Amino acid sequence: MVGSMVTGSIAAAACSLLLLSLLAGGASSQTECVPTILLSPGRTATDTISHTATSSSSLKYCGMKEAFKMRPATVEKLNSCVRSTPAVYIHVKPQHILVGRRFGQRYLTSPEAFFTAARAAGIQLVVISFRDNQLAREVSSFEMKQRKPGTPKFERNARERFIDVNMTDSFRKKVEDYNRAVRAAKAANFPRGILHITFNEIVHDVCGTTKKVLRRACPRADNQQQCQERNGHTDKSHHERTLTGRVGATAAANLRSQLLGTEYEWMLDLEKASWPPSVPRSYPPLTTDHDIDDRPRRPPAKTQ
């Protein structure tokens, strides 16, 4: 009788352990992807790659895609995101970090501080991407907020964005900010490293590029999972319009005046996505193929 009771207790315990094991396995399947950050300026097909990746895997946003859009990150917020969403996916723009000193000391307003804290919080992978045609990016960003060409507000905002700005200096500064962030991410030594993807890859092969990301971010995932493609990079832009049609005649004329004869001249064709191999590039954005200590070279003089 006692032997039967003991045997029954052992069997019950074994069943309980099996159940716990199955439950644990089920839980781990929900967190088969590692915490991931996408470092990229906006209007770089980031909605497309991000929404597709999160729809096709267990990667999830920490409330929203750009968790630090409204306010810079803090150590507490990073820890909270990883703790509440173990397979968290966060899109961070350089401008989300380099916001100056108007926020308090608790905010992470340098790339070095941000990525050190992200590594400590448990982020394991950083995906990086930079759109070669910076003018197309600026025009696309402008269009998101300007819906009525020809109005006084449109003309005023076009002047602030494209006329009262030295565009070549602006392009170089944004590459420098991006490169500083990439260097900081590399220095933080994330467990799954840095993965570089291009704008061209995303727009021409969304699912192929998503699988490239998921192979690194979700090493235990089922590689046969269906790609749930989401297109978010053309819904707010007017690709059928000319440069003049998109920013106005005055701004378009000024852009041509500023960029003609420079290494950025090719960007006036807004449909061109990749830097032409024949055009020297003074300020290349870093990729994992570049040395972390690369420094920009002196820009070529503008030809007459």
Side-chain angles (χ1 to χ4, degrees), residues 49 127-130 195-199 201-202 209 212-213:
I49 190 65
V127 180
I128 62 173
S129 185
F130 190 92
L195 176 66
H196 174 245
I197 59 175
T198 69
F199 174 79
E201 287 177 319
I202 299 170
T209 309
K212 178 179 177 180
V213 171

Side-chain angles (χ1 to χ4, degrees), residues 241-259:
R241 297 179 184 173
T242 63
L243 176 61
T244 298
R246 296 174 75 174
V247 302
T250 304
N254 182 72
L255 286 169
R256 294 188 188 95
S257 175
Q258 286 202 53
L259 300 184

Side-chain angles (χ1 to χ4, degrees), residues 22-48:
L22 290 172
L23 289 172
S28 65
S29 68
Q30 298 302 312
T31 57
E32 61 198 8
C33 300
V34 301
T36 299
I37 282 177
L38 170 66
L39 171 64
S40 177
R43 308 312 297 160
T44 308
T46 56
D47 279 358
T48 296

Side-chain angles (χ1 to χ4, degrees), residues 230-274:
R230 301 288 187 267
N231 188 337
H233 65 272
T234 59
D235 57 343
K236 302 178 185 70
S237 299
H238 303 285
H239 291 271
E240 75 283 359
R241 297 179 184 173
T242 63
L243 176 61
T244 298
R246 296 174 75 174
V247 302
T250 304
N254 182 72
L255 286 169
R256 294 188 188 95
S257 175
Q258 286 202 53
L259 300 184
L260 286 173
T262 74
E263 65 187 278
Y264 303 106
E265 178 177 342
W266 66 272
M267 295 182 185
L268 291 165
D269 183 345
L270 299 178
E271 294 307 305
K272 287 188 176 180
S274 298

Side-chain angles (χ1 to χ4, degrees), residues 59-76:
L59 290 168
K60 301 298 177 189
Y61 298 136
C62 182
M64 58 190 295
K65 179 172 77 82
E66 299 173 20
F68 308 119
K69 178 178 182 178
M70 305 306 295
R71 191 170 288 273
T74 62
V75 170
E76 294 78 14

Side-chain angles (χ1 to χ4, degrees), residues 15-221:
C15 286
S16 296
L17 288 172
L18 178 60
L19 179 59
L20 287 172
S21 175
L22 290 172
L23 289 172
S28 65
S29 68
Q30 298 302 312
T31 57
E32 61 198 8
C33 300
V34 301
T36 299
I37 282 177
L38 170 66
L39 171 64
S40 177
R43 308 312 297 160
T44 308
T46 56
D47 279 358
T48 296
I49 190 65
S50 300
H51 296 338
T52 302
T54 54
S55 297
S56 306
S57 72
S58 63
L59 290 168
K60 301 298 177 189
Y61 298 136
C62 182
M64 58 190 295
K65 179 172 77 82
E66 299 173 20
F68 308 119
K69 178 178 182 178
M70 305 306 295
R71 191 170 288 273
T74 62
V75 170
E76 294 78 14
K77 179 63 174 178
L78 279 167
N79 288 334
S80 175
C81 282
V82 176
R83 187 168 55 248
S84 63
T85 313
V88 72
Y89 178 104
I90 304 171
H91 172 208
V92 176
K93 302 175 183 177
Q95 70 198 58
H96 292 163
I97 305 170
L98 293 161
V99 293
R101 298 182 178 180
R102 65 180 182 273
F103 293 92
Q105 291 184 350
R106 62 189 291 259
Y107 292 99
L108 304 169
T109 57
S110 78
E112 295 76 18
F114 174 84
F115 284 107
T116 297
R119 174 70 174 84
I123 298 294
Q124 295 195 34
L125 171 66
V126 176
V127 180
I128 62 173
S129 185
F130 190 92
R131 186 173 181 175
D132 279 355
N133 194 329
Q134 291 177 265
L135 178 60
R137 197 208 74 82
E138 294 295 332
V139 170
S140 179
S141 177
F142 173 77
E143 284 184 307
M144 287 184 66
K145 301 175 182 178
Q146 311 303 322
R147 296 295 184 184
K148 298 180 179 179
T151 63
K153 181 179 179 181
F154 180 95
E155 297 297 333
R156 181 173 64 254
N157 290 335
R159 169 170 289 279
E160 292 175 355
R161 192 72 175 262
F162 301 115
I163 299 176
D164 296 339
V165 174
N166 184 313
M167 296 302 295
T168 59
D169 285 351
S170 175
F171 290 160
R172 290 164 187 159
K173 178 64 167 59
K174 288 178 179 177
V175 172
E176 289 171 357
D177 289 347
Y178 172 79
N179 284 352
R180 180 181 171 186
V182 171
R183 289 191 181 96
K186 287 185 177 182
N189 194 28
F190 289 92
R192 299 203 65 80
I194 308 290
L195 176 66
H196 174 245
I197 59 175
T198 69
F199 174 79
N200 220 23
E201 287 177 319
I202 299 170
V203 298
H204 287 101
D205 187 4
V206 177
C207 284
T209 309
T210 299
K211 289 178 181 179
K212 178 179 177 180
V213 171
L214 297 184
R215 279 194 296 270
R216 185 79 69 89
C218 311
R220 298 187 301 275

